[in-house]
Each structure stands twice: as C-alpha cells, then as structure tokens.
Amino acid sequence: MQGFTIRPLASEEELRRVIEINMVTLPEHYPYFFWLEHFSLWRDIFLAALVGEEIVGYNMCRIEYGIGHVRKGIVKQGHVVSIAVLPEFRRRGIASALMLKAMEVMKEKYGAGEVYLEVRVSNEPAIRLYEKLDFKKVKVLKRYYLDGEDAYLMAREL
Ligand code: ACO
Ligand code: ZN
C-alpha cells in the first residue's frame, strides 16, 4: 500500500518527534547525544516515514567495521539500531520500505557488504519482517536486554 513517503530526517525538531515515537513503541531508549550522533554522522540512513506532514515511523542506522556475521573476515556493516512505526500505521509496508531504503543506501553509498540487527526473541512481528527481507538468525545473544530477555542477532548480505 502506498500513501507514505520515506526520506532522511531533516531537522532536530524532527529528531525530537522520532524520540517521542521511540518512547511509545519500544522499551529500548537512548540518551539524546546517542540520537544526535546518528543524526549527525549517518543522516542518510536515519530515515523518517511520513503520512501527509506527520512522521509516523523511523529507522536509525549506523555503519561499522566488524567481523562478518554472514561474510568472512572484517567487513563494512550496516547496523539497524532502532526501527519503529506507530501502531495506527502498521501493516501497510512502512517498516519494509524503511528497511529497503536503508539497505540500498548502506550498499550503494557506503559499500557495506552486510547488514545486521538485534531483536528480542519474543518480537514476532519484527522477526517476521526481517525474515521476509531475507535476514537470517545468526545467533542468540543471551540476556542481551536490561530485563534479561535474549536477542537474536539477524543479518543478511547486501
Ligand atoms: N504479526 C505478524 N507478522 C507481522 C506483523 C505482525 N504484527 N507485523 C509485521 N509483520 C510481518 C508481515 O510478514 C508483514 O507483511 P504482510 O503485512 O504483507 O503480512 C511484514 O512483516 C512487513 O510488515 P510492514 O507493514 O512493513 O511492517 P510495519 O510497518 O507494520 O512495522 C514493526 C513492523 C516495525 C515491527 C512494527 O510492528 C513496530 O513498530 N513494532 C514495535 C517496535 C519494534 O518492535 N521494532 C523493532 C525492534 S528491533 C530493532 O529495532 C532492530
Ligand atoms: Zn544493535
């Protein structure tokens, strides 16, 4: 379904709106400097989804060098740090579009060879979204979250 647009976050005012969305959609929150660091350094993979004038979702990513999760050796990796869509706007392809755009920029602009993320083992909607996008569960990160829940590390080639 269409009716939304995806584009990089444009201002610190929009960043504050993204943080509000994070507060109501996810248990993982971050200090302001952490958001600002991503907005400053990787703005073209810090994406907003808009319906009309309103931001209804975001995808905050970064670029790292690390030991490959799906490729061998040290590789340039895109890291999806946090993605969320407001409940009223779910199941219309917005998160998929946010992921596809971020992966395109990670590959084309940054030359990343793979993309990875962590997700709660209980977060079935998100796991299904990632599996639909060809991510695979690479390993379990025991007690990854503050409340003791495990994470799947999921990754795919770019
Ligand atoms: N139940 C089952 N499958 C689902 C669900 C669900 N509730 N939601 C999405 N999916 C799967 C489906 O296969 C769906 O395709 P379909 O609608 O054709 O069946 C596919 O994912 C794509 O769905 P989208 O519409 O693109 O996803 P949406 O815009 O609804 O956003 C998201 C999905 C981001 C997981 C949303 O539910 C959300 O914001 N959840 C709360 C925040 C969250 O958990 N974020 C991820 C944390 S992990 C991280 O940030 C790295
Ligand atoms: Zn992470």
Side-chain angles (χ1 to χ4, degrees):
M1 180 186 158
Q2 283 307 311
F4 60 86
T5 52
I6 306 289
R7 61 153 170 80
L9 208 61
S11 65
E12 249 185 276
E13 192 185 332
E14 289 191 349
L15 177 60
R16 282 189 283 275
R17 177 67 189 132
V18 161
I19 293 170
E20 284 172 11
I21 294 175
N22 167 264
M23 293 303 287
V24 298
T25 52
L26 277 167
E28 282 68 53
H29 309 307
Y30 313 98
Y32 190 70
F33 75 81
F34 185 81
W35 292 99
L36 201 56
E37 178 191 26
H38 288 77
F39 180 59
S40 307
L41 294 179
W42 299 289
R43 194 170 304 196
D44 46 8
I45 43 174
F46 196 150
L47 302 172
L50 290 95
V51 171
E53 305 281 286
E54 191 195 352
I55 297 181
V56 301
Y58 70 89
N59 185 8
M60 177 172 74
C61 304
R62 60 192 290 150
I63 298 290
E64 300 166 355
Y65 284 96
I67 297 169
H69 298 299
V70 286
R71 291 179 183 273
K72 292 208 187 303
I74 303 288
V75 292
K76 205 173 198 183
Q77 298 163 315
H79 180 172
V80 178
V81 177
S82 183
I83 179 170
V85 174
L86 285 172
E88 315 86 275
F89 297 95
R90 289 180 190 165
R91 296 309 282 270
R92 23 167 131 174
I94 292 179
S96 304
L98 284 165
M99 288 291 295
L100 286 168
K101 183 66 192 172
M103 291 193 290
E104 178 192 315
V105 179
M106 286 168 182
K107 182 183 162 102
E108 303 303 333
K109 176 177 174 190
Y110 292 97
E114 61 178 51
V115 53
Y116 81 97
L117 54 83
E118 302 90 11
V119 58
R120 285 177 182 267
V121 296
S122 65
N123 192 346
E124 276 178 37
I127 293 167
R128 289 205 191 158
L129 161 73
Y130 304 138
E131 282 179 337
K132 205 167 177 182
L133 293 167
D134 290 330
F135 281 71
K136 302 279 185 264
K137 293 171 182 164
V138 175
K139 58 183 165 187
V140 176
L141 304 172
K142 284 285 174 198
R143 300 187 59 82
Y144 180 79
Y145 295 99
L146 284 176
D147 61 6
E149 187 169 348
D150 299 344
Y152 289 122
L153 190 149
M154 299 186 71
R156 57 156 274 184
E157 282 187 22
L158 288 174

